[in-house]
Amino acid sequence: MIKKYVYGTPFETEAVMMEIENAEGTPEYGKVCCEQKFCFEYEMSNKDMIFGLGQSNRGINKRGYIYISNCTDDPEHTEHKTSLYGAHNFIVISGEKNFGLFVDYPSTVCFDIGYTHSDKLKIECEYCDVTLYVIEGENAYDIVKQFRKLIGQSYIPPKFAFGYAQSRWGYKTKQDYREVAREYRKNHIPIDMIYMDIDYMQDFKDFTLNEQNFDDFEEFVKEMKQNNLRLIPIIDAGVKIEKGYSVYEEGVKNNYFCKKEDGSDFVAAVWPDDTHFPDVLNKEARKWFGSKYKILTDKGIEGFWNDMNEPAIFYTPEGIERIKKSMKEFIEKNPSKDDVWFMRDSLLYLANNPQDYCAFYHNVNGQKIRHDKVHNLYGYNMTRAAAEGLQEIDNNRRYLLFSRSSYIGMHRYGGIWTGDNMSWWSHILLNIKMMPSLNMCGFLYIGADIGGFGADTTRELLLRWLAFGIFTPLMRNHSANGTRRQECYQFEKIEAFQHVIKIRYRLIPYIYSEYMKAALQYDMYFKPLLFVYQNDEIAREIEDQLLIGNEIMIAPVYTQNAKGRCVYLPEEMMMLKFLSNGTIHTEQYEKGYHYIAIELDEVVLFVKKGCCIPIAEPAEYVEQIDTKNMKLYGYINSEYLLYDDDGITKQYQQQNYKTMKYE
Amino acid sequence: MIKKYVYGTPFETEAVMMEIENAEGTPEYGKVCCEQKFCFEYEMSNKDMIFGLGQSNRGINKRGYIYISNCTDDPEHTEHKTSLYGAHNFIVISGEKNFGLFVDYPSTVCFDIGYTHSDKLKIECEYCDVTLYVIEGENAYDIVKQFRKLIGQSYIPPKFAFGYAQSRWGYKTKQDYREVAREYRKNHIPIDMIYMDIDYMQDFKDFTLNEQNFDDFEEFVKEMKQNNLRLIPIIDAGVKIEKGYSVYEEGVKNNYFCKKEDGSDFVAAVWPDDTHFPDVLNKEARKWFGSKYKILTDKGIEGFWNDMNEPAIFYTPEGIERIKKSMKEFIEKNPSKDDVWFMRDSLLYLANNPQDYCAFYHNVNGQKIRHDKVHNLYGYNMTRAAAEGLQEIDNNRRYLLFSRSSYIGMHRYGGIWTGDNMSWWSHILLNIKMMPSLNMCGFLYIGADIGGFGADTTRELLLRWLAFGIFTPLMRNHSANGTRRQECYQFEKIEAFQHVIKIRYRLIPYIYSEYMKAALQYDMYFKPLLFVYQNDEIAREIEDQLLIGNEIMIAPVYTQNAKGRCVYLPEEMMMLKFLSNGTIHTEQYEKGYHYIAIELDEVVLFVKKGCCIPIAEPAEYVEQIDTKNMKLYGYINSEYLLYDDDGITKQYQQQNYKTMKYE
């Protein structure tokens, strides 16, 4: 049961797809106050657990901290950070009572979930213009499934997007890409995609190609495709200010960029130095910006990642003027430590400064809306622009598309990657914990930068991260310029990487099948254990094991120097251990704790009691996977319902399902 | 067996206490090269584990990363940081072969322990003036004990220092301290000490008191003592430059400060803005600086913490000049993003800039030594100054003394706290892992800032951290100015804090006894499980459980929202659960994994098979502990050897031991 309460005059975010009548009265859970601010308060019982919030920090159970929905480009995801790139305002309260809340509000929302006071849940928005959806259900899982229907079907990528991908900020020339291709193929490490980070563009101009390095890009795309590799370029939010650059010129001419109070185009420095932001909340501008993707699809490109779309701001001309003024005063002084720190902080806070987000406007159906009031919708609508543009090209074709910033609603248009993480062991764990929360909020095509984006990785960290990454729909190794190189072939004993990534390809039929079922049936691909084993007191607390689809449980290793780990089985299960010689060792384990030895080049998963899964022979790219010759593993006399299709059109018919019997 | 190899002309650090003849030839393990650089290389076998490095990042097994001994004031202890505040160049290689290495070298040492290549250990120093001690032994534990004898007996604090302490940067007035005292006593939360951070001083001048706030300090110290509370002031390294300030004047007159190349006193800004650094490597200057502590002991003070002694530098006048020059150029420009980042980074790198550490000199027995070549000895010698000064006052009396920066050798003069950590759950785990490594390097009186220094804590985090902190000799709740207040009485349901901290006091007889045995017998107070259960393959990997003394094992909860945790018992043990009603529940568990429920206000420990421990009745301060009426808990028909003494003199006689029988 879903009830919709409308307070004030909410901005239409288009997050919700279902028509629901406004409810009368007040929600039967908690207390809403709506004077100047919107506020929802609820007294949590001792056993209440809180789920949701998608891409947010900390655990699967969100209780015990404070989270602020305010899309932010912050590459230091340390524990006390309250805002990341996305704004996913859906939570589930599960315990004494069971209900979900979706706070449909496009600006900052604060969720204090037992931080200020252990037992108090408090949600606040600055203005009382909010649509609040209250979802009643039997349990957390049931509530999530209702919510997922409310917000509509999740994005489905083409099947090649389930392959492994290599990326790095810093690849510049065709030679750089050819080296990646050559080394992967030479070492027989399966791969389907190479991502193109910002340096492929001419001076970071969207929809351009570096003239010197990519003279015949169409030919190069073909060359890669012949090697069964797809190139996936990045698109940034800001459009470079440069006379003669057509995207810039068109945007200015047609008033497609965000404007300042005085009507001039707003200027913000990002990668190309000064840029304008396309006003993707303006339907016409969105259509225009989306149509630009065709420049690259015309050259054979089949997928994109949208970046810097919080939108990130390095600084503005106004910020530079303020800094220069402070510098002049500083120079005249014999500065104290406070003066020095003031200057340091002023320079640090040039980036993503709230003052700048209040200095520009969108044109929404003719209405001038100040950016900060709809801030969390920018990345969503940039990606919507792309999705709609790509749909224009071929309505029956799937393109790969994902974004850094997002809001609920964007899950229909693309996936997300979880942004600029670090080469930290704790970020494997954060990756594990974030996945089911994102599924709750509709985001299915998801993954983190495997190996870690910032800081220097190690061979062991990368191998363990890959062994988890095998199970994330988006499986990409990505790293920042200036950090240690982390393509698999950069390390000793390369065969370990080959072993681990091959297992991904053996599992793709299962992963794809379960992904498609989750997408088509409003279900979760990643589930916390307690969503299924609801009465198991130990399983309730476990956040470092996950259910993947309906048949398997995983327990990734995420600590340095471990030769294995303790795994909790909430019921008897069949362990499959993929040994480095290519064979699969199976062993049945009873309910309870077990120490499972897992070498660096091995992968372990557990098939649920009475279930089986299909496993293909190894392949080096997705199209090579032989789905005709798969073996079933798990419990004898069980069945598996396989979904499969052509992987590129949108024909998701009933006949795509097939029952496989393990006899 | 310990062999000493001397390369070049090493600086005499006085880390080692034993006279050992120089060995001939080369070490039989690994390969030493000594051209311009010193370098030691060793091929690690698959099973080799590496221990040691004291206060360094990451796990107990140091394999798989790179660690750089370079005392650094860095408050962001994220996973990829390679240098913290201490330089503890002792490692143990344990596996195929077993040996220890102590690289006695006072400047930067790099330990690449399987980072660049998984199997290669490489130690490097910039110059080949190194004393290398190679210790052969049966196993890691044996090697550690030999090393501990080599470096001499660890510091022993007075018994009151085993009480609980409250601290916060930001207490300014007597009222602030009285409030802490009143609230703790009112709520019957045991406490022995309140720490005084920098604001007690007049303008951050060492050995002064704020004139307005502490007019009759001696009287105030008495007032607190009557309430069974001791005030423990901070002493910073830098001496404020201020005409008329006697410490400054004396230092300048006698050439006791570090000097620049040109012979003038080196200037660095720290808390008091411009300061000079006492040249604690100069014996006379050290004696002079140490004698100043008497100014405060004369007022009744019995303990100190030495801070900012890496030494931390906020900036230097030379740095400011460089910045001003850059600013002038910046102002004239239409800056690019690179210009903006250059300015930002220049301001960030004003602090602790390597250039500045090369710009001043020590006078060591008449020789001018550039600071960077002996950088890691500064905190050590500042604390040695204090210890020697305090010894001058009363040679038979123990004072509380600990430091932020340290080098091996300093363990004889004081303890350390682990510096500016954060209110992160991962920092409880880092705290757990760091403790045994510090013990290996001689540091016994140790602890972290409970609740976390930086960032905002939560009630749950603080309670769980306290429940581990109960077992650290130094047990202090400390937080930074501007963060959420985290004195126990700031949270709801204060009684939970009372319960947890009372358990510390019930355990002090055991903790003190085990501490004293470890100190007097060159043993470890914190041991990793594998040091005792050497053949247990599961115990080998466990880094989130520790042995405390000889009788108990702990398994702290360090995750949010946990109602307990999985504990691995390497043998049958007796669990003691301290319930919130003051009773102790005992239950025997078999070897293996167990889920142990542990409420937020409970503490659990495990008594080893065949052992027992004494537990006292609750007390509200150390002197109130009734050691005459203790009960033994654990296995019947076992014995406990209790060490106890007057807690203040240095009479550590044999008759202080007493056998207690549990019949």
Side-chain angles (χ1 to χ4, degrees), chain B residues 203-206 238-249 252 257-258 265-277 317:
Chain B
D203 304 324
F204 310 116
K205 286 182 289 189
D206 281 340
V239 170
K240 184 174 172 64
I241 297 174
E242 185 183 281
K243 258 203 143 47
Y245 165 39
S246 67
V247 183
Y248 161 74
E249 302 264 5
V252 169
F257 293 126
C258 292
D265 291 329
F266 175 72
V267 179
V270 207
W271 290 117
D273 288 310
D274 285 352
T275 71
H276 293 321
F277 290 143

Side-chain angles (χ1 to χ4, degrees), chain B residues 46 72 80 103 150 245 252 259 285 295 314 317 331 338 359 402 435 550 568 610 627 634:
Chain B
N46 196 34
T72 303
H80 66 287
V103 184
L150 181 71
Y245 165 39
V252 169
K259 292 189 180 295
I295 295 169
F314 293 162
I331 288 168
D338 289 328
F402 59 91
M435 297 291 101
N550 294 305
Y568 177 72
T627 54

Side-chain angles (χ1 to χ4, degrees), chain B residues 55 72 76 186 189 221 294 323 333 339 435 443 501 525 532 544 560 586 590 628 649 657 662:
Chain B
Q55 184 184 24
T72 303
E76 278 260 329
K186 189 184 84 187
I189 304 171
V221 172
K294 193 164 181 298
I323 279 283
K333 270 187 199 172
D339 295 323
M435 297 291 101
F443 295 91
I501 297 175
Y525 168 87
V532 171
D544 63 354
Q560 191 171 283
T586 63
E590 294 307 302
K628 299 276 171 291
T649 72
Y657 289 97
Y662 185 22

Side-chain angles (χ1 to χ4, degrees), chain B residues 174-190:
Chain B
K174 286 183 189 170
Q175 283 321 315
D176 293 335
Y177 291 91
R178 283 180 180 132
E179 183 193 306
V180 174
R182 188 178 61 241
E183 290 294 327
Y184 270 93
R185 291 294 177 228
K186 189 184 84 187
N187 287 293
H188 300 289
I189 304 171

